[in-house]
Amino acid sequence: MGETKVIRIEDVSEFVGQTVKIGVWLRQKRGSGKIAFLQLRDGTGFMQGVVSVGDVDEATFKLAEHLKQESSFYVTGEIHRDSRSEFGFEMAVSNIEIVGESEDYPITPKEHGTDFLFDERHLYLRHQKPFATMKIRDEIIRAIYDFFHKDGFLKLDSPIITDSAPEGTTELFPVKYFDKDAYLSQTGQLYAEAGAMAFGKVYDFGPTFRAEKSSTRRHLTEFWMIDAEMAWMHQEDSLKVQERFIAYLIERVVDNCQVELKMLGRDVEKLRAYTKLPYPRISYDDAVKLLQDNDFKIEWGVDFGSPEETFLAKRFNSPFFVVNFPKAIKAFYMKRHPSRDDVVISADMLAPEGYGEIIGGSERDTDYDYLKQQIISQHLDLSEYSWYLDLRKYGTVPHSGFGLGLERLIRFIAGEDHIRETIPFPRTLNRLHP
Ligand code: ATP
Ligand code: MG
């Protein structure tokens, strides 16, 4: 007789009727004096193991009865299809070999508060909700690379330590850089523009830092951002890339994460509807009018808050763009409107159901003198931007780009209440541990 094959739970469907061995942790157990039901996980999935008095020797049955939550062991047994089980398969256990004991595991089956769960995040990651969310995160990350690769983009990473603050100086994390002052990057965008002039279409994907002083459901202080930048492209074509991009990412999750979406209670049909293109566009002007007509006390010129975004989202019931924001509330590099000097050629993509902004983007101004003036009037340090101005000095071309917050997108697709659920170890105003 050969050695029993060691497999993973995600592959059990290929081993129905066979005796196999799996390295597992115990989630929960219940049973009577004659039978023990073990809820098992191995990191690739979940299943039930059934230990019956008649099938195992007395010592093994005793062992099964005394297993503690999150103890680790090899379990051996025959795989059965089981339509009553929520995971579709079961193991009729014939042997258990303990590997690691576990005493007083803190996250018990009773309800725990969110703060407690995030204090125990290093353990909480083992549970079903984080499992489903992180699998979706992983699928989205792979889909992002696939999309850009197929679309002819080059991945060009932006630095994380910088000397400039293109999105304003109020949300910066300073770092000491030898004897100089430096900052953790708020966006890789300016560097992506240099990349676009070198490689045509580029994207970066990396950690981004903003000292957000308010705690909301959609702000982290450390998050992952994708900046895409495209040379020889005007804003209208950039919007088309953005909507194809988001629809593709949603589709990938719908196709490959059915089980995870179900675990999270996310309606797959609703998501599928969000892959229909094009996404609606509304101008900032019209959005303000619409809000004012519906009793919002918003003035032209201010940014939308969460209630405004949620209201607008209800009108469209799909991701949508708000285009051409007031110049005064947007970054210095955005392209001037050809016939108005109070708005810029920009667009935010907003997710439906109140999830709010997921993308910020624009066409970039190409004029050296204008941008220099913008840098000065926004009180930025001209010397830090000399390299950026060079991009307009040597063969400037029309170009557009956008920034997507990975965790914002996961929150929307996975249907998470709070953005902290979407990143393995969240960093927020009040959390730096674990
Ligand atoms: P908001 O108005 O919601 O703070 P923003 O206008 O500051 O967003 P941008 O500067 O346009 O955002 O950044 C591009 C994208 O990065 C946003 O659309 C969003 O998806 C993401 N993002 C920005 N700030 C955060 C944050 N603190 N946590 C997570 N994601 C963020
Ligand atoms: Mg912000």
Side-chain angles (χ1 to χ4, degrees), residues 167 171 186 210 212 218-225 303-304 309 330 333 348-349 357-361 403-409 419:
E167 305 295 321
E171 296 174 353
Q186 294 178 301
R210 294 190 188 182
E212 304 276 4
R218 56 188 200 177
H219 286 96
L220 293 162
T221 52
E222 176 181 295
F223 61 98
W224 287 67
M225 180 134 91
D303 212 349
F304 301 134
E309 290 187 352
K330 288 290 177 188
Y333 48 73
D348 285 357
M349 189 194 291
E357 181 188 331
I358 54 176
I359 288 181
L404 165 71
L406 174 67
E407 290 78 12
R408 293 266 180 104
L409 180 71
I419 195 165

Side-chain angles (χ1 to χ4, degrees), residues 223-248:
F223 61 98
W224 287 67
M225 180 134 91
I226 296 92
D227 293 292
E229 198 68 33
M230 297 146 298
W232 308 101
M233 193 180 282
H234 292 290
Q235 175 74 344
E236 192 43 45
D237 284 333
S238 172
L239 297 188
K240 285 183 186 146
V241 173
Q242 293 171 45
E243 61 189 3
R244 272 199 299 115
F245 180 45
I246 297 302
Y248 175 76

Side-chain angles (χ1 to χ4, degrees), residues 9-22:
I9 291 178
E10 65 182 351
D11 300 323
V12 288
S13 64
E14 298 161 33
F15 294 92
V16 175
Q18 296 180 44
T19 295
V20 293
K21 186 168 164 174
I22 311 177

Side-chain angles (χ1 to χ4, degrees), residues 28 41 58 94 276 305 316 429:
Q28 282 181 48
R41 60 169 195 89
E58 207 183 308
S94 52
K276 256 223 218 80
F316 298 112
L429 187 57

Side-chain angles (χ1 to χ4, degrees), residues 242-267:
Q242 293 171 45
E243 61 189 3
R244 272 199 299 115
F245 180 45
I246 297 302
Y248 175 76
L249 300 181
I250 295 171
E251 198 176 290
R252 278 279 298 261
V253 174
V254 166
D255 287 348
N256 298 328
C257 302
Q258 297 272 341
V259 173
E260 289 79 10
L261 290 169
K262 196 167 161 220
M263 277 180 186
L264 295 171
R266 188 70 166 125
D267 183 342

Side-chain angles (χ1 to χ4, degrees), residues 14 32 95 136 146 157-159 207 214 253 259 383:
E14 298 161 33
S32 64
N95 194 31
I136 290 172
D146 290 346
D157 297 308
S158 297
S214 60
V253 174
V259 173
S383 67

